[in-house]
Amino acid sequence: MADVILTILAHPDDAEFLCGGTLIRLAREKNWQVHIASMTAGDCGSVQYGPEEISRIRKKEGADAAALIGATYHCLEEHDLLVFYNERALERVTRLLREVRPRIVITHSASAYMPDHEMTSYVARAAAFAAPAPNFLRDRGHGPPLERIPHLYYADAVEGKDTLGRALPPAFCVDISKVIETKSQMLACHASQRDWLRKHHGMDHYLNAMRDWSAERGKSCGVPFAEGYRQHLGHSYPQDNLLGQLLGIVSR
Ligand SMILES: [Zn+2]
């Protein structure tokens, strides 16, 4: 059976921005099975469509982007700006973990520009710890508990900075230079967001923002394009850098 990586991020396009290159490389070079989950369907991500319609559109965009690399997209059906660390969210993520059974999980930095990202990070971290515990949410019809806590990684925060604008340097970077075009194609599947970001954030170049950030992270470690990570190394989580061993680490 193929090894599995699961990303648990807040919104449908976060994976394509923050860790898409890493996912592409794992799928292509290591034959890993890739699962991409978003906590919400991005129901507030439009000035044009109502919540139900934009949710439908964005889930399709997420599924299309995932399909480009043979990955599977999951939506955990929470709501934008209403992602909380609570039992419902924790159960949804735990259920998914017990279903797809990843060896590696990528989530958001615990310090991030918006609470949806920060809450997602806490929920993912807690679920990774909880999913192997047989008594946790027992008798809720989940799959069997995981054999062990998966390797947990935090992707770069958006623009690599915390809420106070301080830099959050990665512990290591993955070279994504050879797959930047595919990463861009995945992001381009989120067509609805190019319009919305232009209107709401004044960000005119959706794809360029991703590319610029990947180039900036690349510059910090001496390659054209890169993605940065920190590993969760708290007590009882795996301590070896499996992701780094699989794809190699680049640094200056
Ligand atoms: Zn997001």
Side-chain angles (χ1 to χ4, degrees), residues 2 9-10 25-26 30 47 80-81 126 138 146 151 157 167 183 194 198 201 220 229-230:
L9 299 164
R25 286 195 57 198
L26 275 176
K30 302 292 170 187
V47 290
D80 278 359
L81 304 168
R138 200 189 170 106
L146 298 187
H151 289 71
K183 185 181 179 185
R194 284 159 116 172
R198 202 158 33 222
H201 293 24
S220 71
Y229 295 97
R230 287 171 296 158

Side-chain angles (χ1 to χ4, degrees), residues 127-178:
F129 187 91
N135 281 356
F136 182 70
L137 300 180
R138 200 189 170 106
D139 304 325
R140 302 269 184 113
H142 300 183
L146 298 187
E147 281 85 44
R148 60 184 66 82
I149 298 173
H151 289 71
L152 179 65
Y153 292 90
Y154 301 114
D156 272 332
V158 172
E159 296 173 5
K161 61 187 184 183
D162 70 11
T163 44
L164 301 177
R166 294 171 299 204
L168 288 167
F172 68 97
C173 291
V174 170
D175 185 355
I176 61 157
S177 307
K178 292 199 175 110

Side-chain angles (χ1 to χ4, degrees), residues 3 21 31 39 68 70 85 90 93 111-112 121 129 157 163 166 171 174 186 202-203 205 215 228 230 234 236 238 248:
D3 282 311
N31 255 331
M39 294 300 286
L68 278 184
Y85 181 89
L90 197 48
V93 174
S111 177
S121 182
F129 187 91
T163 44
R166 294 171 299 204
V174 170
M186 285 177 77
M203 193 195 283
H205 305 289
R230 287 171 296 158
S236 76

Side-chain angles (χ1 to χ4, degrees), residues 10-202:
H11 309 113
D13 57 354
D14 285 330
E16 287 75 7
F17 261 107
L18 299 174
C19 57
T22 299
L23 300 180
I24 295 161
R25 286 195 57 198
L26 275 176
R28 285 185 181 169
E29 295 171 28
K30 302 292 170 187
N31 255 331
W32 275 48
Q33 211 180 313
V34 176
H35 289 262
I36 298 171
S38 66
M39 294 300 286
T40 84
D43 53 292
C44 288
S46 179
V47 290
Q48 186 180 356
Y49 303 107
E52 278 174 30
E53 192 166 11
I54 190 62
S55 294
R56 191 178 47 72
I57 292 168
R58 296 196 67 185
K59 283 195 267 191
K60 168 86 166 59
E61 291 171 348
D64 289 347
L68 278 184
I69 59 164
T72 307
Y73 169 73
H74 307 263
C75 179
L76 292 161
E77 305 291 350
E78 297 293 332
H79 295 287
D80 278 359
L81 304 168
L82 293 170
V83 176
F84 299 117
Y85 181 89
N86 61 18
E87 182 173 334
R88 186 180 73 185
L90 197 48
E91 170 155 23
R92 286 175 174 180
V93 174
T94 303
R95 179 188 296 273
L96 184 64
L97 282 164
R98 288 173 172 169
E99 185 187 316
V100 310
R101 314 188 73 74
R103 275 185 81 189
I104 295 179
V105 169
I106 296 176
T107 188
H108 287 294
S109 165
S111 177
Y113 85 103
M114 72 172 302
D116 279 358
H117 284 209
E118 296 186 336
M119 289 298 113
T120 298
S121 182
Y122 278 109
V123 172
R125 167 186 167 185
F129 187 91
N135 281 356
F136 182 70
L137 300 180
R138 200 189 170 106
D139 304 325
R140 302 269 184 113
H142 300 183
L146 298 187
E147 281 85 44
R148 60 184 66 82
I149 298 173
H151 289 71
L152 179 65
Y153 292 90
Y154 301 114
D156 272 332
V158 172
E159 296 173 5
K161 61 187 184 183
D162 70 11
T163 44
L164 301 177
R166 294 171 299 204
L168 288 167
F172 68 97
C173 291
V174 170
D175 185 355
I176 61 157
S177 307
K178 292 199 175 110
V179 296
I180 188 70
E181 297 311 327
T182 309
K183 185 181 179 185
S184 192
Q185 284 163 17
M186 285 177 77
L187 188 60
C189 291
H190 297 272
S192 66
Q193 296 312 289
R194 284 159 116 172
D195 302 340
W196 141 250
L197 283 179
R198 202 158 33 222
K199 285 177 186 146
H200 185 266
H201 293 24

